[in-house]
Amino acid sequence: MLTPRRMTTERLLLRLPEDSDLDPLAALYNDPGALKNIGTEAHWSREQTLRILRESAAEYERRGYAMYTVVRRSDGAVLGLCGLCPDEDDLPEIAGVLIRRHWGRGYCREAAAAVLTRAQAGPGPVTLTGHVEADHPALDYVERTVMYAHGFVFEKEAPFPYSGKLMRYYRWSSPAAGAETEQRR
């Protein structure tokens, strides 16, 4: 397992999604401004959003990681999603998206830090990936406070396979993952 079912930080609870998260997260996935910088502009119906929420819990059972609902501990407000999901190469990838009215308060950074710290401390070989849109308005902040702060290295800039948007790609591998790769050569 890369991450536990629930995590808490100073301000947040990260937990597996529940059906009751549908309303705030359905609104998120119909907000073009929130979707603009995450590599997709797909608008999800309520049914698609509910399916994704339910699949995240099943994904956790299969892989030991998933996207979490990010909840503010002080009032129980659903802020968005953050966690790990499989990338195009089936490696765990850090991802997050917040409801727009919660931007600029460091919630996504705090949630991502919790997920990455737990995943990177896990036993065995682990490789984690991430990508950020190359013209994301908070690119410098995300690189500095999430990617580089957790030991990720920049790999390349390339179009995202699903949207064609130019993305910056990053990778982190545990020492055990590096040794495993060397043994296969």
Side-chain angles (χ1 to χ4, degrees), residues 149-170:
H150 289 276
F152 281 75
V153 295
F154 171 77
E155 282 198 315
K156 64 182 178 181
E157 275 191 2
F160 191 57
Y162 305 114
S163 68
K165 291 182 177 186
L166 186 63
M167 305 298 275
R168 291 179 57 87
Y169 289 84
Y170 310 84

Side-chain angles (χ1 to χ4, degrees), residues 21 24-25 28 68-71 77-82 96-99 102:
D21 301 333
L25 295 177
L28 168 68
Y68 293 97
T69 298
V70 179
V71 178
V78 171
L79 307 177
L81 296 168
C82 184
V97 60
L98 290 182
I99 297 168
H102 302 298

Side-chain angles (χ1 to χ4, degrees), residues 7-45:
M7 291 182 271
T8 58
T9 70
E10 181 180 338
R11 301 181 297 167
L12 305 173
L13 166 66
L14 283 74
R15 59 165 171 72
L16 292 177
E18 301 170 354
D19 287 0
S20 61
D21 301 333
L22 178 60
D23 286 337
L25 295 177
L28 168 68
Y29 280 102
N30 280 294
D31 178 355
L35 300 177
K36 180 177 184 251
N37 296 304
I38 63 167
T40 184
E41 292 176 8
H43 297 257
W44 293 355
S45 68

Side-chain angles (χ1 to χ4, degrees), residues 132 135-143:
V132 180
D135 65 355
H136 192 293
L139 176 64
D140 292 338
Y141 175 79
V142 172
E143 283 186 330

